Amino acid sequence: MLLPTIGIESMSNPKSPKRAQPTRNLLLSKMLPADRELVEAHLKEIELPLRTKLEKRQKRVEFIYFIDSGVASVVGNGNGEVEVGIIGRDGATGLSVVLAGDRANHDTYMQVAGTGRRLTAEDFRNVMSSSTTLTNTMLRYANGFLVQVTQTATANACGTIPQRLARWLLMVQDRVETEAIPLTHEFLAIMLAVNRPGVTLALKALEDRATISQRRGSLTIVDRAALEMIAGHIYETGRF
């Protein structure tokens, strides 16, 4: 399932040159060709193993990562860790830089290993300053990500644990495009801000309804349509 990309297309000039071939990263693929060239001139490919730290809370942002595969978690820290947003091939890190800051507000690390490309925060500021349309595209994406964060807070406040788990699994699958998702109960407890016994019970509830199957270290979505029904109104694909 491809994530919708509402909004960015409307910024394109119908008389602009033919787009370059699409990349794995949807945010890059929806940029105007000239803007994409500006960014890609500085990008370097990088492997992103599990737990790779992309940003550290209250530390200066050194790189902007455009993710091609895998999923990164943006994690808030209070009395404990809780996920506030996810980034896959739909987007990029470094929103504090987009919004004229220089330090990360949260930790961001890979929760599903993958690949991506990165450029320095300094290079990214320079290319944004040279293109109003690129800046507008990134601001539109930042707004979409903030919507996702708000939806996550609402889901955590209003949804049952099985609903929240179903929503989270759907959002991850939207970004990795596979039925099998590598994860642990410990990781899920952080993602959903619940204790591990709560995660175990929620997983069993979904498995009993034949929506998922489990084995050590991974989970497979068996019936996506049923999972969407369980998640109900709290599931949003996340748009930019």
Side-chain angles (χ1 to χ4, degrees):
M1 175 179 177
L2 292 180
L3 297 180
T5 53
I6 295 173
I8 290 183
E9 290 90 341
S10 64
M11 297 168 58
S12 302
N13 183 342
K15 296 182 180 180
S16 63
K18 184 178 179 181
R19 290 181 184 274
Q21 291 299 310
T23 70
R24 284 287 297 164
N25 184 277
L26 295 179
L27 180 55
L28 283 172
S29 73
K30 294 301 178 180
M31 290 179 181
L32 294 174
D35 290 340
R36 180 175 151 190
E37 289 177 10
L38 281 174
V39 176
E40 289 190 328
H42 299 278
L43 290 177
K44 295 182 179 180
E45 294 184 3
I46 184 171
E47 293 289 326
L48 298 171
L50 181 68
R51 300 274 186 173
T52 300
K53 271 283 181 75
L54 307 183
E55 292 183 1
K56 295 182 180 180
R57 182 169 64 104
Q58 300 304 319
K59 298 296 184 182
R60 192 177 302 277
V61 176
E62 296 182 4
F63 296 98
I64 311 299
Y65 294 83
F66 287 83
I67 295 176
D68 292 321
S69 64
V71 176
S73 284
V74 182
V75 178
N77 292 270
N79 292 329
E81 290 185 314
V82 57
E83 183 181 75
V84 297
I86 63 175
I87 305 168
R89 71 185 194 90
D90 57 319
T93 65
L95 292 190
S96 58
V97 174
V98 174
L99 299 174
D102 65 351
R103 295 182 182 272
N105 295 313
H106 305 290
D107 290 327
T108 301
Y109 55 82
M110 298 299 294
Q111 63 163 291
V112 177
T115 61
R117 284 166 289 172
R118 73 182 189 184
L119 72 166
T120 67
E122 181 180 2
D123 283 339
F124 193 57
R125 290 188 187 93
N126 289 337
V127 295
M128 280 205 307
S129 68
S130 68
S131 172
T132 301
T133 53
L134 174 59
T135 299
N136 288 341
T137 297
M138 294 305 303
L139 289 174
R140 190 178 295 271
Y141 170 68
N143 180 71
F145 186 78
L146 292 175
V147 169
Q148 183 203 136
V149 170
T150 302
Q151 291 167 344
T152 297
T154 302
N156 288 343
C158 301
T160 66
I161 297 177
Q163 277 184 309
R164 289 154 55 189
L165 175 58
R167 171 186 181 267
W168 186 85
L169 292 173
L170 290 166
M171 291 181 66
V172 170
Q173 190 190 37
D174 288 340
R175 289 156 176 82
V176 300
E177 298 184 275
T178 63
E179 285 74 29
I181 302 171
L183 49 81
T184 65
H185 287 206
E186 177 188 5
F187 227 152
L188 278 174
I190 293 172
M191 299 309 102
L192 300 174
V194 298
N195 55 33
R196 289 183 64 178
V199 169
T200 300
L201 291 173
L203 286 168
K204 186 177 186 306
L206 296 186
E207 195 167 31
D208 287 347
R209 296 180 64 172
T211 61
I212 65 170
S213 64
Q214 300 182 73
R215 67 179 189 178
R216 186 175 181 84
S218 70
L219 178 152
T220 298
I221 294 176
V222 176
D223 189 341
R224 182 183 170 97
L227 210 57
E228 289 181 2
M229 289 184 64
I230 293 170
H233 68 281
I234 70 169
Y235 167 57
E236 291 287 344
T237 53
R239 294 186 287 270
F240 61 91

